Amino acid sequence: MSRIENPIEGVVYQTEDKADFYLSTGAWVNSTVGETLRSTAAKFPDRSAFVSDERTLTFRELDEQTDLIAGGLLDIGLMSGDRVLFQLGTTIETVLVAFSCYKAGIVPVCTIPQYREVEIDALGKTSKAKAHFVQADFSGFDLIKFAQEVQQKNSNIEHIIVVRGKAPDGTHALDALSSRLSLAAARERLTSVSISPRDVLSFQLSGGSTGLPKIIPRFHAEYIGHAVGWSTRYQIDCSSCIIWSLPLIHNAGQSYALLPPIIFGLTAVLMPKVDIQRMLELIEIHKVTHGLSIGPIAPQLIAYTGINKHDLSSLKLFSTMSRADKLEAHLGVPCSNLYGITEGLVLGSPADDPDFVRHHTQGATGTPCNEIRVLDPDSEDVITLGNVGELCFRGPYSLLAYYGDEVATKKALTSDGFFRSGDMVIEHVIDGRSYFAFQGRLRDNINRGGEKIGCEEVEEYVCRHPAIADAKLVAMPDPFYGEKGCIYLILRKGFEAPNLKALADFLAAQGLAKFKCPERIEIVDAFPVTRVGKVDKALMRQDIAQKLERENSDA
């Protein structure tokens, strides 16, 4: 396989032998993202690549416009291997910026517009970012001014590039970059750039809900291979059409929505935000075949009462993190659970897998080279089949080392290089294939007098109640047991909340152990979320603790 053309100090690269092996098995693809885009644009120049309510890009337009922007980036002094901060939403412009960077060998640090000083300062300095892309119209928050303040504290940042807005003095407008050179001159400029399939494609970020995100290098050959593997698992091909409404630049967005179009020549429909009614309209208009959700989309779909107004006959599969059975019953199309982690593993199931697999496991890997073990979370001992243990994996897409964080790397990997996910699963072997059922996270448990309660397990059972649209279980302090469970509920429209006894009776009838039943109910209109859009359970635990303290004081 080709050598690394733009090595980045501090990045751990795969060995030559392993790289050759993954290439020979097809787990890696011997290409760069730029080469893949150019090849697909030559095959399907007039086919729609990305569609939004604002505009549509054909593959020819995508190829030409990204050449122009890439040439402009090189012309202002950025170079292959340079890192750049991204604070961009899910728009066509984000697609253009991402592929332009990939063609020029520039490495996006995949932050999001919601990040503020703590995250951006740390990530900018750790990555030694040379530029900062911001979307001017993302929200009422002034991201341009924010980027200027960040630049004053970080001498590495030489350029601020403004997307979808007017660029003040000292910054660059994306439109100006794209017209800086002619297409011929931009393409000539790009011929001087050498990029290897083994080069770093992007700096992805860990998805933890607490602490600063850790940087995860991803590489051209392995990232393309990863997208091919999961897409093949979901039976996605050149005739498919996918829809995406969550952050585009994160791992899931790039794997599910950004790369498959240029790999297969399919069309991706992009939405700047979650809007259930509009999503269903777009599925009908564009004949979407595959829908994917890693966030709050599934509960909102289940709660949407106008589902019969929409023609969803084009949908072959809708995949979600959990509750696929309930979603399938509501939508009337095949649904399956999935699992994904930025450190390198995706599990899923196609529409023709058995109901048990699609509804009661997160599926299987689409790559035979992936090695998966279920380990004792306190040791490296393998758990007996059928028992709960920690999901651990090693393979062609797995984290080799966090960038600039040896301590976190050592903690995350076993002695033989398996990544410890912190997620608890049960392995099911069906017809000789291993499927993994998610049981909760190591850090999302309640210790009730020594009995551990997996919050996500209880949440799944609670959400089966006809009055409940969604539920989140958190620990609340208790003087006797140490902790008890408090369930926060979002109710379906027109339904009343069950009381504790009625909910406990319902859960017991479902087969849930009595000690796992929630011991307090809180009704809310929405769950608090972190800046990255994840449910903020820390804030919910703080909320219930404060309520208990006030109640005890009043008593």
Side-chain angles (χ1 to χ4, degrees), residues 446-453 455 458-459 462 471-489 498-505 507 512-523 544 548 551:
I446 294 170
N447 187 345
R448 188 184 187 276
E451 294 287 353
K452 302 294 194 306
I453 301 171
C455 294
V458 177
E459 289 161 5
V462 171
K472 297 298 175 186
L473 184 70
V474 299
M476 61 180 179
D478 182 80
F480 183 78
Y481 290 102
E483 292 179 347
K484 287 183 178 180
C486 173
I487 195 81
Y488 283 75
L489 301 179
N499 59 31
L500 275 176
K501 183 180 184 305
L503 181 59
D505 289 344
L507 296 175
L512 192 68
K514 183 178 179 180
F515 78 86
K516 294 184 179 181
C517 294
E519 294 172 82
R520 181 175 176 126
I521 294 172
E522 292 288 322
I523 307 299
I544 189 59
L548 289 171
E551 291 167 7

Tab-separated table of all heavy atoms in Angstrom, residues 446-453 455 458-459 462 471-489 498-505 507 512-523 544 548 551:
chain	number	residue	atom	x	y	z
A	446	ILE	N	-27.957	2.748	38.352
A	446	ILE	CA	-28.366	3.146	39.704
A	446	ILE	C	-27.975	2.028	40.656
A	446	ILE	O	-28.243	0.848	40.392
A	446	ILE	CB	-29.888	3.396	39.761
A	446	ILE	CG1	-30.256	4.607	38.892
A	446	ILE	CG2	-30.350	3.610	41.206
A	446	ILE	CD1	-31.741	4.788	38.702
A	447	ASN	N	-27.317	2.393	41.752
A	447	ASN	CA	-26.915	1.419	42.760
A	447	ASN	C	-27.902	1.511	43.926
A	447	ASN	O	-27.759	2.328	44.824
A	447	ASN	CB	-25.487	1.703	43.231
A	447	ASN	CG	-24.953	0.627	44.153
A	447	ASN	OD1	-25.714	-0.193	44.675
A	447	ASN	ND2	-23.657	0.620	44.364
A	448	ARG	N	-28.900	0.660	43.906
A	448	ARG	CA	-29.956	0.675	44.923
A	448	ARG	C	-29.643	-0.368	45.989
A	448	ARG	O	-29.967	-1.540	45.862
A	448	ARG	CB	-31.324	0.388	44.280
A	448	ARG	CG	-32.508	0.567	45.215
A	448	ARG	CD	-33.793	0.159	44.494
A	448	ARG	NE	-34.979	0.466	45.275
A	448	ARG	CZ	-35.482	-0.318	46.232
A	448	ARG	NH1	-34.895	-1.469	46.524
A	448	ARG	NH2	-36.584	0.039	46.888
A	449	GLY	N	-28.966	0.074	47.007
A	449	GLY	CA	-28.610	-0.831	48.100
A	449	GLY	C	-27.751	-1.995	47.649
A	449	GLY	O	-27.871	-3.103	48.176
A	450	GLY	N	-26.875	-1.765	46.670
A	450	GLY	CA	-26.000	-2.825	46.168
A	450	GLY	C	-26.522	-3.509	44.931
A	450	GLY	O	-25.779	-4.213	44.235
A	451	GLU	N	-27.804	-3.302	44.613
A	451	GLU	CA	-28.384	-3.850	43.385
A	451	GLU	C	-28.220	-2.823	42.266
A	451	GLU	O	-28.661	-1.678	42.395
A	451	GLU	CB	-29.866	-4.186	43.583
A	451	GLU	CG	-30.125	-5.304	44.565
A	451	GLU	CD	-29.769	-6.657	44.018
A	451	GLU	OE1	-29.442	-6.766	42.812
A	451	GLU	OE2	-29.810	-7.633	44.801
A	452	LYS	N	-27.613	-3.222	41.169
A	452	LYS	CA	-27.387	-2.315	40.040
A	452	LYS	C	-28.600	-2.350	39.101
A	452	LYS	O	-29.053	-3.421	38.695
A	452	LYS	CB	-26.135	-2.717	39.263
A	452	LYS	CG	-24.855	-2.750	40.100
A	452	LYS	CD	-24.456	-1.374	40.600
A	452	LYS	CE	-23.032	-1.354	41.136
A	452	LYS	NZ	-22.725	-2.345	42.169
A	453	ILE	N	-29.075	-1.177	38.767
A	453	ILE	CA	-30.207	-1.033	37.850
A	453	ILE	C	-29.713	-0.332	36.593
A	453	ILE	O	-29.208	0.799	36.666
A	453	ILE	CB	-31.348	-0.214	38.492
A	453	ILE	CG1	-31.822	-0.888	39.779
A	453	ILE	CG2	-32.498	-0.035	37.504
A	453	ILE	CD1	-32.799	-0.051	40.586
A	455	CYS	N	-30.247	1.868	33.645
A	455	CYS	CA	-31.272	2.877	33.350
A	455	CYS	C	-31.939	2.648	31.999
A	455	CYS	O	-33.162	2.755	31.874
A	455	CYS	CB	-30.654	4.279	33.401
A	455	CYS	SG	-30.109	4.764	35.060
A	458	VAL	N	-34.634	-0.079	31.986
A	458	VAL	CA	-35.901	0.339	32.581
A	458	VAL	C	-36.633	1.294	31.646
A	458	VAL	O	-37.860	1.210	31.468
A	458	VAL	CB	-35.661	0.990	33.956
A	458	VAL	CG1	-36.975	1.501	34.554
A	458	VAL	CG2	-35.007	-0.008	34.912
A	459	GLU	N	-35.888	2.201	31.028
A	459	GLU	CA	-36.500	3.174	30.112
A	459	GLU	C	-37.229	2.475	28.971
A	459	GLU	O	-38.314	2.888	28.560
A	459	GLU	CB	-35.424	4.112	29.561
A	459	GLU	CG	-34.877	5.079	30.596
A	459	GLU	CD	-33.532	5.664	30.201
A	459	GLU	OE1	-33.056	5.391	29.086
A	459	GLU	OE2	-32.940	6.400	31.022
A	462	VAL	N	-40.508	1.141	30.356
A	462	VAL	CA	-41.435	2.232	30.676
A	462	VAL	C	-42.061	2.787	29.400
A	462	VAL	O	-43.256	3.114	29.359
A	462	VAL	CB	-40.709	3.343	31.466
A	462	VAL	CG1	-41.611	4.578	31.617
A	462	VAL	CG2	-40.300	2.833	32.850
A	471	ALA	N	-39.018	8.403	28.053
A	471	ALA	CA	-38.709	8.340	29.483
A	471	ALA	C	-37.208	8.268	29.694
A	471	ALA	O	-36.492	7.652	28.898
A	471	ALA	CB	-39.378	7.118	30.110
A	472	LYS	N	-36.754	8.906	30.786
A	472	LYS	CA	-35.350	8.842	31.176
A	472	LYS	C	-35.270	8.613	32.685
A	472	LYS	O	-35.876	9.333	33.465
A	472	LYS	CB	-34.603	10.136	30.813
A	472	LYS	CG	-34.551	10.425	29.320
A	472	LYS	CD	-33.808	9.340	28.549
A	472	LYS	CE	-33.868	9.583	27.055
A	472	LYS	NZ	-33.281	8.449	26.285
A	473	LEU	N	-34.504	7.586	33.052
A	473	LEU	CA	-34.347	7.215	34.450
A	473	LEU	C	-33.016	7.730	34.983
A	473	LEU	O	-31.981	7.551	34.331
A	473	LEU	CB	-34.403	5.698	34.602
A	473	LEU	CG	-34.337	5.138	36.027
A	473	LEU	CD1	-35.624	5.456	36.785
A	473	LEU	CD2	-34.088	3.636	36.008
A	474	VAL	N	-33.058	8.372	36.147
A	474	VAL	CA	-31.834	8.864	36.778
A	474	VAL	C	-31.831	8.485	38.257
A	474	VAL	O	-32.879	8.194	38.843
A	474	VAL	CB	-31.680	10.397	36.639
A	474	VAL	CG1	-31.615	10.799	35.168
A	474	VAL	CG2	-32.805	11.134	37.357
A	475	ALA	N	-30.657	8.509	38.832
A	475	ALA	CA	-30.517	8.212	40.254
A	475	ALA	C	-30.887	9.435	41.085
A	475	ALA	O	-30.527	10.559	40.750
A	475	ALA	CB	-29.087	7.790	40.566
A	476	MET	N	-31.619	9.190	42.172
A	476	MET	CA	-31.883	10.251	43.151
A	476	MET	C	-31.382	9.763	44.510
A	476	MET	O	-31.420	8.565	44.808
A	476	MET	CB	-33.373	10.601	43.209
A	476	MET	CG	-34.289	9.462	43.621
A	476	MET	SD	-36.028	9.992	43.649
A	476	MET	CE	-36.845	8.462	44.137
A	477	PRO	N	-30.871	10.671	45.323
A	477	PRO	CA	-30.308	10.254	46.615
A	477	PRO	C	-31.372	9.702	47.560
A	477	PRO	O	-32.514	10.179	47.566
A	477	PRO	CB	-29.703	11.549	47.158
A	477	PRO	CG	-30.383	12.653	46.424
A	477	PRO	CD	-30.750	12.113	45.085
A	478	ASP	N	-30.987	8.690	48.309
A	478	ASP	CA	-31.900	8.076	49.274
A	478	ASP	C	-31.107	7.740	50.539
A	478	ASP	O	-30.032	7.127	50.446
A	478	ASP	CB	-32.525	6.804	48.699
A	478	ASP	CG	-33.506	6.162	49.659
A	478	ASP	OD1	-34.659	6.641	49.721
A	478	ASP	OD2	-33.130	5.200	50.349
A	479	PRO	N	-31.628	8.118	51.741
A	479	PRO	CA	-30.855	7.905	52.972
A	479	PRO	C	-30.682	6.436	53.333
A	479	PRO	O	-29.739	6.081	54.045
A	479	PRO	CB	-31.682	8.649	54.036
A	479	PRO	CG	-33.064	8.746	53.454
A	479	PRO	CD	-32.883	8.843	51.987
A	480	PHE	N	-31.553	5.553	52.833
A	480	PHE	CA	-31.469	4.146	53.196
A	480	PHE	C	-30.729	3.331	52.140
A	480	PHE	O	-29.763	2.624	52.432
A	480	PHE	CB	-32.871	3.577	53.431
A	480	PHE	CG	-32.880	2.146	53.884
A	480	PHE	CD1	-32.588	1.818	55.203
A	480	PHE	CD2	-33.158	1.112	52.997
A	480	PHE	CE1	-32.576	0.497	55.625
A	480	PHE	CE2	-33.139	-0.207	53.415
A	480	PHE	CZ	-32.846	-0.507	54.720
A	481	TYR	N	-31.178	3.432	50.914
A	481	TYR	CA	-30.592	2.637	49.826
A	481	TYR	C	-29.376	3.289	49.180
A	481	TYR	O	-28.668	2.649	48.418
A	481	TYR	CB	-31.645	2.362	48.747
A	481	TYR	CG	-32.718	1.399	49.184
A	481	TYR	CD1	-33.973	1.854	49.567
A	481	TYR	CD2	-32.468	0.030	49.199
A	481	TYR	CE1	-34.963	0.969	49.959
A	481	TYR	CE2	-33.458	-0.868	49.594
A	481	TYR	CZ	-34.706	-0.390	49.973
A	481	TYR	OH	-35.672	-1.286	50.374
A	482	GLY	N	-29.153	4.537	49.464
A	482	GLY	CA	-28.088	5.276	48.780
A	482	GLY	C	-28.619	5.954	47.536
A	482	GLY	O	-28.490	7.154	47.356
A	483	GLU	N	-29.251	5.161	46.663
A	483	GLU	CA	-29.854	5.693	45.441
A	483	GLU	C	-31.163	4.964	45.154
A	483	GLU	O	-31.314	3.786	45.467
A	483	GLU	CB	-28.927	5.522	44.229
A	483	GLU	CG	-27.667	6.363	44.260
A	483	GLU	CD	-26.786	6.122	43.045
A	483	GLU	OE1	-27.034	5.136	42.308
A	483	GLU	OE2	-25.839	6.899	42.834
A	484	LYS	N	-32.094	5.682	44.606
A	484	LYS	CA	-33.306	5.113	44.031
A	484	LYS	C	-33.495	5.702	42.633
A	484	LYS	O	-32.821	6.659	42.255
A	484	LYS	CB	-34.528	5.421	44.901
A	484	LYS	CG	-34.605	4.629	46.200
A	484	LYS	CD	-35.907	4.961	46.936
A	484	LYS	CE	-36.052	4.150	48.205
A	484	LYS	NZ	-37.324	4.467	48.925
A	485	GLY	N	-34.461	5.154	41.913
A	485	GLY	CA	-34.685	5.615	40.551
A	485	GLY	C	-35.821	6.607	40.452
A	485	GLY	O	-36.913	6.384	40.973
A	486	CYS	N	-35.543	7.720	39.762
A	486	CYS	CA	-36.565	8.715	39.445
A	486	CYS	C	-36.744	8.727	37.935
A	486	CYS	O	-35.772	8.890	37.187
A	486	CYS	CB	-36.152	10.098	39.942
A	486	CYS	SG	-37.271	11.419	39.428
A	487	ILE	N	-37.980	8.571	37.477
A	487	ILE	CA	-38.247	8.525	36.041
A	487	ILE	C	-38.861	9.849	35.576
A	487	ILE	O	-39.839	10.323	36.139
A	487	ILE	CB	-39.178	7.332	35.685
A	487	ILE	CG1	-39.166	7.067	34.185
A	487	ILE	CG2	-40.575	7.513	36.211
A	487	ILE	CD1	-37.989	6.273	33.703
A	488	TYR	N	-38.212	10.461	34.608
A	488	TYR	CA	-38.744	11.660	33.957
A	488	TYR	C	-39.534	11.223	32.730
A	488	TYR	O	-39.020	10.477	31.883
A	488	TYR	CB	-37.613	12.603	33.544
A	488	TYR	CG	-37.026	13.401	34.685
A	488	TYR	CD1	-36.185	12.812	35.612
A	488	TYR	CD2	-37.323	14.749	34.825
A	488	TYR	CE1	-35.640	13.539	36.663
A	488	TYR	CE2	-36.781	15.498	35.872
A	488	TYR	CZ	-35.946	14.890	36.781
A	488	TYR	OH	-35.411	15.613	37.817
A	489	LEU	N	-40.773	11.689	32.628
A	489	LEU	CA	-41.672	11.226	31.579
A	489	LEU	C	-42.117	12.368	30.667
A	489	LEU	O	-42.429	13.460	31.141
A	489	LEU	CB	-42.923	10.583	32.174
A	489	LEU	CG	-42.745	9.375	33.106
A	489	LEU	CD1	-44.111	8.905	33.593
A	489	LEU	CD2	-42.009	8.256	32.402
A	498	PRO	N	-49.501	7.760	34.519
A	498	PRO	CA	-49.813	6.744	35.535
A	498	PRO	C	-49.198	7.154	36.862
A	498	PRO	O	-48.176	7.854	36.890
A	498	PRO	CB	-49.149	5.488	34.976
A	498	PRO	CG	-48.000	6.008	34.167
A	498	PRO	CD	-48.476	7.299	33.569
A	499	ASN	N	-49.821	6.728	37.973
A	499	ASN	CA	-49.159	6.948	39.255
A	499	ASN	C	-48.123	5.854	39.467
A	499	ASN	O	-47.984	4.937	38.655
A	499	ASN	CB	-50.172	7.022	40.402
A	499	ASN	CG	-51.006	5.748	40.524
A	499	ASN	OD1	-50.536	4.647	40.214
A	499	ASN	ND2	-52.249	5.886	40.975
A	500	LEU	N	-47.372	5.947	40.560
A	500	LEU	CA	-46.283	4.998	40.784
A	500	LEU	C	-46.766	3.554	40.838
A	500	LEU	O	-46.145	2.663	40.258
A	500	LEU	CB	-45.549	5.347	42.083
A	500	LEU	CG	-44.452	6.398	41.988
A	500	LEU	CD1	-43.897	6.704	43.374
A	500	LEU	CD2	-43.332	5.923	41.064
A	501	LYS	N	-47.899	3.330	41.533
A	501	LYS	CA	-48.389	1.947	41.643
A	501	LYS	C	-48.814	1.405	40.278
A	501	LYS	O	-48.481	0.267	39.920
A	501	LYS	CB	-49.559	1.877	42.624
A	501	LYS	CG	-50.056	0.437	42.834
A	501	LYS	CD	-51.222	0.373	43.811
A	501	LYS	CE	-51.630	-1.075	44.081
A	501	LYS	NZ	-51.933	-1.836	42.845
A	502	ALA	N	-49.522	2.219	39.521
A	502	ALA	CA	-49.979	1.764	38.213
A	502	ALA	C	-48.790	1.488	37.292
A	502	ALA	O	-48.787	0.501	36.546
A	502	ALA	CB	-50.904	2.809	37.595
A	503	LEU	N	-47.765	2.349	37.358
A	503	LEU	CA	-46.588	2.133	36.527
A	503	LEU	C	-45.850	0.877	36.959
A	503	LEU	O	-45.411	0.075	36.116
A	503	LEU	CB	-45.659	3.346	36.606
A	503	LEU	CG	-44.387	3.265	35.755
A	503	LEU	CD1	-44.725	3.091	34.285
A	503	LEU	CD2	-43.516	4.507	35.973
A	504	ALA	N	-45.725	0.677	38.287
A	504	ALA	CA	-45.047	-0.519	38.796
A	504	ALA	C	-45.797	-1.786	38.400
A	504	ALA	O	-45.187	-2.795	38.016
A	504	ALA	CB	-44.903	-0.433	40.309
A	505	ASP	N	-47.131	-1.753	38.476
A	505	ASP	CA	-47.922	-2.911	38.068
A	505	ASP	C	-47.723	-3.208	36.585
A	505	ASP	O	-47.608	-4.372	36.164
A	505	ASP	CB	-49.405	-2.666	38.351
A	505	ASP	CG	-49.730	-2.673	39.852
A	505	ASP	OD1	-48.880	-3.155	40.634
A	505	ASP	OD2	-50.813	-2.170	40.216
A	507	LEU	N	-45.076	-2.430	34.746
A	507	LEU	CA	-43.723	-2.947	34.520
A	507	LEU	C	-43.589	-4.384	35.002
A	507	LEU	O	-42.929	-5.205	34.360
A	507	LEU	CB	-42.709	-2.047	35.215
A	507	LEU	CG	-42.622	-0.608	34.687
A	507	LEU	CD1	-41.665	0.213	35.539
A	507	LEU	CD2	-42.183	-0.596	33.233
A	512	LEU	N	-40.470	-7.055	34.470
A	512	LEU	CA	-39.372	-6.315	35.082
A	512	LEU	C	-39.328	-6.578	36.582
A	512	LEU	O	-40.371	-6.588	37.255
A	512	LEU	CB	-39.536	-4.813	34.819
A	512	LEU	CG	-38.333	-3.931	35.155
A	512	LEU	CD1	-37.173	-4.217	34.208
A	512	LEU	CD2	-38.711	-2.464	35.104
A	513	ALA	N	-38.124	-6.789	37.118
A	513	ALA	CA	-37.991	-7.022	38.558
A	513	ALA	C	-38.489	-5.825	39.348
A	513	ALA	O	-38.282	-4.670	38.945
A	513	ALA	CB	-36.541	-7.304	38.909
A	514	LYS	N	-39.122	-6.089	40.489
A	514	LYS	CA	-39.745	-5.026	41.272
A	514	LYS	C	-38.736	-3.982	41.726
A	514	LYS	O	-39.033	-2.785	41.730
A	514	LYS	CB	-40.456	-5.637	42.489
A	514	LYS	CG	-41.201	-4.616	43.329
A	514	LYS	CD	-41.931	-5.278	44.504
A	514	LYS	CE	-42.648	-4.228	45.333
A	514	LYS	NZ	-43.360	-4.840	46.487
A	515	PHE	N	-37.528	-4.440	42.104
A	515	PHE	CA	-36.568	-3.461	42.624
A	515	PHE	C	-36.099	-2.476	41.554
A	515	PHE	O	-35.542	-1.429	41.862
A	515	PHE	CB	-35.365	-4.171	43.266
A	515	PHE	CG	-34.351	-4.707	42.288
A	515	PHE	CD1	-33.332	-3.898	41.805
A	515	PHE	CD2	-34.415	-6.018	41.851
A	515	PHE	CE1	-32.386	-4.390	40.915
A	515	PHE	CE2	-33.477	-6.521	40.966
A	515	PHE	CZ	-32.456	-5.709	40.486
A	516	LYS	N	-36.355	-2.814	40.279
A	516	LYS	CA	-35.963	-1.926	39.196
A	516	LYS	C	-37.011	-0.861	38.887
A	516	LYS	O	-36.736	0.081	38.137
A	516	LYS	CB	-35.682	-2.724	37.926
A	516	LYS	CG	-34.478	-3.648	38.025
A	516	LYS	CD	-34.209	-4.339	36.704
A	516	LYS	CE	-32.993	-5.234	36.783
A	516	LYS	NZ	-32.715	-5.907	35.480
A	517	CYS	N	-38.205	-0.995	39.441
A	517	CYS	CA	-39.269	-0.041	39.139
A	517	CYS	C	-38.951	1.341	39.694
A	517	CYS	O	-38.476	1.463	40.834
A	517	CYS	CB	-40.600	-0.531	39.712
A	517	CYS	SG	-41.201	-2.038	38.932
A	518	PRO	N	-39.214	2.399	38.934
A	518	PRO	CA	-38.970	3.759	39.433
A	518	PRO	C	-39.748	4.028	40.705
A	518	PRO	O	-40.850	3.505	40.905
A	518	PRO	CB	-39.455	4.648	38.287
A	518	PRO	CG	-39.391	3.782	37.075
A	518	PRO	CD	-39.712	2.391	37.556
A	519	GLU	N	-39.194	4.876	41.553
A	519	GLU	CA	-39.820	5.171	42.832
A	519	GLU	C	-40.207	6.640	42.965
A	519	GLU	O	-40.585	7.108	44.033
A	519	GLU	CB	-38.890	4.726	43.956
A	519	GLU	CG	-38.740	3.202	43.937
A	519	GLU	CD	-37.689	2.669	44.893
A	519	GLU	OE1	-38.001	2.526	46.094
A	519	GLU	OE2	-36.558	2.402	44.439
A	520	ARG	N	-40.117	7.347	41.847
A	520	ARG	CA	-40.637	8.715	41.766
A	520	ARG	C	-40.847	9.033	40.287
A	520	ARG	O	-40.107	8.566	39.427
A	520	ARG	CB	-39.683	9.720	42.400
A	520	ARG	CG	-40.208	11.170	42.355
A	520	ARG	CD	-39.292	12.102	43.101
A	520	ARG	NE	-39.723	13.488	42.977
A	520	ARG	CZ	-39.956	14.300	43.992
A	520	ARG	NH1	-39.829	13.850	45.243
A	520	ARG	NH2	-40.311	15.556	43.799
A	521	ILE	N	-41.886	9.845	40.023
A	521	ILE	CA	-42.204	10.264	38.668
A	521	ILE	C	-42.144	11.779	38.577
A	521	ILE	O	-42.697	12.483	39.429
A	521	ILE	CB	-43.606	9.772	38.235
A	521	ILE	CG1	-43.631	8.238	38.141
A	521	ILE	CG2	-44.025	10.400	36.912
A	521	ILE	CD1	-45.027	7.671	37.898
A	522	GLU	N	-41.493	12.274	37.533
A	522	GLU	CA	-41.480	13.702	37.230
A	522	GLU	C	-41.976	13.867	35.785
A	522	GLU	O	-41.467	13.204	34.871
A	522	GLU	CB	-40.075	14.292	37.353
A	522	GLU	CG	-39.539	14.331	38.767
A	522	GLU	CD	-40.223	15.386	39.627
A	522	GLU	OE1	-40.514	16.479	39.103
A	522	GLU	OE2	-40.478	15.103	40.815
A	523	ILE	N	-42.956	14.729	35.575
A	523	ILE	CA	-43.513	14.963	34.242
A	523	ILE	C	-42.878	16.224	33.655
A	523	ILE	O	-42.855	17.273	34.303
A	523	ILE	CB	-45.045	15.130	34.289
A	523	ILE	CG1	-45.682	13.936	35.034
A	523	ILE	CG2	-45.601	15.266	32.877
A	523	ILE	CD1	-45.424	12.606	34.397
A	544	ILE	N	-33.445	16.626	40.490
A	544	ILE	CA	-34.207	15.856	41.468
A	544	ILE	C	-33.570	15.928	42.848
A	544	ILE	O	-34.267	15.952	43.876
A	544	ILE	CB	-34.390	14.386	41.007
A	544	ILE	CG1	-35.367	13.657	41.926
A	544	ILE	CG2	-33.071	13.653	40.922
A	544	ILE	CD1	-36.745	14.288	42.000
A	548	LEU	N	-35.605	17.201	46.188
A	548	LEU	CA	-35.673	16.428	47.429
A	548	LEU	C	-35.162	17.235	48.612
A	548	LEU	O	-35.731	17.170	49.722
A	548	LEU	CB	-34.863	15.136	47.276
A	548	LEU	CG	-35.459	14.065	46.356
A	548	LEU	CD1	-34.450	12.954	46.121
A	548	LEU	CD2	-36.745	13.502	46.945
A	551	GLU	N	-37.846	19.688	49.596
A	551	GLU	CA	-38.958	19.009	50.247
A	551	GLU	C	-38.604	18.595	51.670
A	551	GLU	O	-39.431	18.718	52.592
A	551	GLU	CB	-39.362	17.789	49.419
A	551	GLU	CG	-40.011	18.145	48.092
A	551	GLU	CD	-40.132	16.964	47.143
A	551	GLU	OE1	-39.831	15.835	47.578
A	551	GLU	OE2	-40.545	17.167	45.986
